Each structure stands twice: as structure tokens, then as C-alpha cells.
Amino acid sequence: MDLGRTLPADVEDDLLDELVASKRLIETLAHLSAEGVLQVDDDRRVVRFNAAAERMLGYSSMHLIGTDARALLHPSNAIDPFVPELNGSRSLEIVFADSAGAPVTTRARSAALERDRRAEGWMLAFSAAPRLDEIEQLKSELVSTVSHELKTPLAAIKAYTATLRQNPALYEARRDEFLGVVEQQADRLSRLVDDMLLVTRVGSAQLLRRRVRLPLERIVRDALAEIAVDRSRHPIICDLAGVEVSCDPERLHNVMRNLIENAVKYSPNGGDITISGRERDGFTEIFVEDNGVGIESEHLPYIYDRFYRADDPSAQTCTGGSGLGLYIVNAIVRAHGGTVSAHSVAGKGTTFTVRLPLR
Ligand code: ADP
């Protein structure tokens, strides 16, 4: 290494060691980054292409290093990310071509690596932006779900309160019953709002906030306290003594509430609901079992999809729902490093099994 003057050998060695350590640090950071990282030299040749970029675009860095980075841009890409005179960094929408040639739209930040006021390379950090048609689809699904799921309880609340207000005799005789319905519908609204807020956190680091170890019984007890269930029609049997779970308690609460509510909702003729748990092979296994309508096998693969409802909307037995519950359950369980599965026999009942690593 020519540093332009002679340095004592031990100083030169120290400097070299520092350089090697810095290079290793940069490589590790790029490797760990969840964003794609592309570094090019002043000839626009690929110098660095990290693991996230490999996953997003389907190329292996081994084959890309040294090749022209402009070949990675899709023909529909409108912006040159490697502008010769570039100061500071800028945000762009870059369309790459993946290894199959398909367009991958990304949100990117580009920064010139400058030396003597000249760009001698560029660093691009990018993450895949949701495609516009996906956003449009989500928007229309949300609008139709929200309009239906918000309108039904609102209409009930309005009708029951108006009826009570206009009929003093009815108010005297059936006040508790009517107000009970109003309260139930208001709960349904507030749960829908909770679910929609949770949906916006799915896939982000904010879905889970903490992880603690605690008795599963406590979570189930709190969840049950929030669910309106007629215990004479739906006796709840709990077998949870001594079982511990490692989780974000608020989020596991969401999971249990959703599963237990579904067990009640999809057992229109009543029947036992059994909630049990056990610790096995470093996991906590939680079972929620009902004797309800069950799920036809053709629907089973899709029940965790966002907005998916297996209920036939024209059927008499159809209950309301947004189709978000199991989507959220699955997202929360996966964020914990766990799995959720369902075993169901149509007409007989369903058992949901949640497995969470016990750390
Ligand atoms: P929602 O209950 O709002 O429709 P979910 O995401 O919670 O949405 O459930 C998706 C679908 O899975 C439901 O529409 C229902 O058909 C089915 N399902 C969920 N839990 C049960 C259960 N315990 N028994 C029978 N069907 C169920």
C-alpha cells in the first residue's frame, strides 16, 4: 500500500488491520441489511450485491460482480440512478428486472461515493414497493369489508337505541336486553377497528413489542373476559394448569381472542369449547377445539388469507366477519417463530393448534 510517504512498519500494519476490520464491518452490515444494497463503480459495474438484493431480484451476487449494473434495470425504468454529477443522496423509484426479466418496482435511495468532488461509484439501498395493482386490490377489499362490517353493527345500534327512545313502555320492560345488543355491536365495531390497525402492522417490526414468559392461563383468562359467551350454550373447558408461554402478551391475547371467538361464532348450535395447552420439545402447544360447523377441506388452505371467508354469504347460518381474524392470528404466530394449523371435519368441529417456541 502506497501511503505517499514512509511510515514505520508497525504503524502501517495497524492501519492495514483497521482497514481490513472496517471492510469486514461494511460487508457484515450489507449482508444483514433487510434492504437490498447495490454498489457500483464509476464504470457502473457491480461491486457489491447483498443477500437481500439476491432474494428480491433472484440473481446470485457471485455472477453479478463486475458486470454492467445497467443491465439490472427494467426497460420500463425511467430514472438513471447513477447520475455523474450527484451531490448527497436522493430518493427514487427504481424498476429492476428480476432474473426472469419481470419488473420489480422498488423504493430506493442512491448516494454517490465521492472522491475529489467526483463520483467514483454509487451505493443504492432499495426495498420492494407494493405493486400498484396490489394496493388497488387491497383498497377495494378494505372498502367493501369496511362498508359491510361497519354498517351492520352501526345500523343495529341505531335501530335499538331509536326503538328504546320512542317506546317508554319497551324501555321499562326490555331495556337491559336492548342495551346488551347495543354493547355487543359496539364491541364488534371496536374489534374491527383493532383488527384493521393490527393489519397495518403485519410484516413490520412493530407487530411484536416485547417477549416475556408467563402462564398461558393468564392470557386465556383475560381473553375470555372480553368475549361475550353464553356459558350454558357454550361451556368452556380449560386445561392449562402449569403451562408457560413465551410471547408478546398483548399479541397472544389477540390470537386467543380471535380463535375462541371463532369457536363460539362457528358453533351456532352450541357445544363444548375446549382450550388446552402443553409444553413439548421446546414449544408451547395451544389447542382450541369446538364442536361447530367445521371447515370444508377445499377452504382450509385459504383460511389465513387476508379477507378470506369460507362462510357462504347467502346461507342462513352466515355470520358476520371481516375475514381478517385468522390472517392476523397467523401473522402474529409467525412473528413469534411459531406455526398455526387447523384440523377440521365439516359438520363436526374444528381444532386450531398454535405452536410457539418456548425460550
Ligand atoms: P371471519 O371469522 O371474520 O370470517 P377469520 O379470518 O377469523 O374471519 O376466519 C376465516 C374463515 O375461516 C371464516 O370465515 C370461517 O369460515 C372459517 N373459520 C374460522 N374459524 C372457524 C371455526 N372455529 N370453525 C369453523 N370455521 C371457521
Side-chain angles (χ1 to χ4, degrees), residues 120-132:
E120 64 164 19
W122 286 265
M123 191 75 110
L124 218 66
F126 54 93
S127 48
R131 294 198 0 238
L132 266 180

Side-chain angles (χ1 to χ4, degrees), residues 295-296 299-310 323-327 341-342 350 352:
I295 305 169
E296 300 282 353
H299 291 297
L300 269 179
Y302 310 110
I303 54 175
Y304 307 103
D305 290 356
R306 193 174 54 203
F307 299 117
Y308 189 84
R309 307 207 61 235
L324 290 176
L326 289 182
Y327 171 72
S341 57
T350 306
F352 277 92

Side-chain angles (χ1 to χ4, degrees), residues 161-174:
T161 45
T163 311
L164 277 184
R165 207 161 43 79
Q166 289 155 12
N167 295 285
L170 204 62
Y171 189 85
E172 281 309 311
R174 299 179 60 187

Side-chain angles (χ1 to χ4, degrees), residues 181-342:
V181 175
V182 170
E183 198 178 3
Q184 233 179 38
Q185 297 298 326
D187 284 347
R188 182 170 158 191
L189 279 177
S190 104
R191 275 199 303 275
L192 178 65
V193 173
D194 285 352
D195 280 356
M196 293 194 354
L197 289 176
L198 269 178
V199 164
T200 65
R201 294 201 189 138
V202 167
S204 81
Q206 287 122 38
L207 187 60
L208 302 188
R209 283 166 297 192
R210 61 199 183 111
R211 191 149 187 167
V212 291
R213 197 171 160 142
L214 77 172
L216 175 60
E217 210 160 16
R218 202 181 303 163
I219 307 259
V220 172
R221 191 190 55 212
D222 291 350
L224 279 171
E226 274 186 16
I227 302 171
V229 46
D230 174 355
R231 300 276 184 122
S232 62
R233 296 193 64 232
H234 292 107
I236 307 242
I237 301 153
C238 286
D239 180 9
L240 304 160
V243 180
E244 297 224 315
V245 66
S246 159
C247 63
D248 177 331
E250 283 85 32
R251 292 295 163 261
L252 189 61
H253 177 106
N254 296 129
V255 167
M256 295 313 296
R257 201 189 65 195
N258 262 305
L259 293 179
I260 301 167
E261 264 173 1
N262 277 351
V264 174
K265 187 160 97 177
Y266 297 105
S267 305
N269 299 323
D272 289 353
I273 289 165
T274 309
I275 307 160
S276 54
R278 65 181 179 200
E279 290 172 21
R280 173 172 281 199
D281 303 332
F283 281 82
T284 304
E285 293 180 333
I286 310 167
F287 308 93
V288 179
E289 183 183 352
D290 65 55
N291 294 288
V293 295
I295 305 169
E296 300 282 353
S297 55
E298 77 227 43
H299 291 297
L300 269 179
Y302 310 110
I303 54 175
Y304 307 103
D305 290 356
R306 193 174 54 203
F307 299 117
Y308 189 84
R309 307 207 61 235
D311 245 7
D312 174 1
S314 60
Q316 281 276 303
T317 52
C318 177
T319 51
S322 61
L324 290 176
L326 289 182
Y327 171 72
I328 290 168
V329 164
N330 189 38
I332 294 174
V333 170
R334 288 174 62 95
H336 280 88
T339 56
V340 55
S341 57

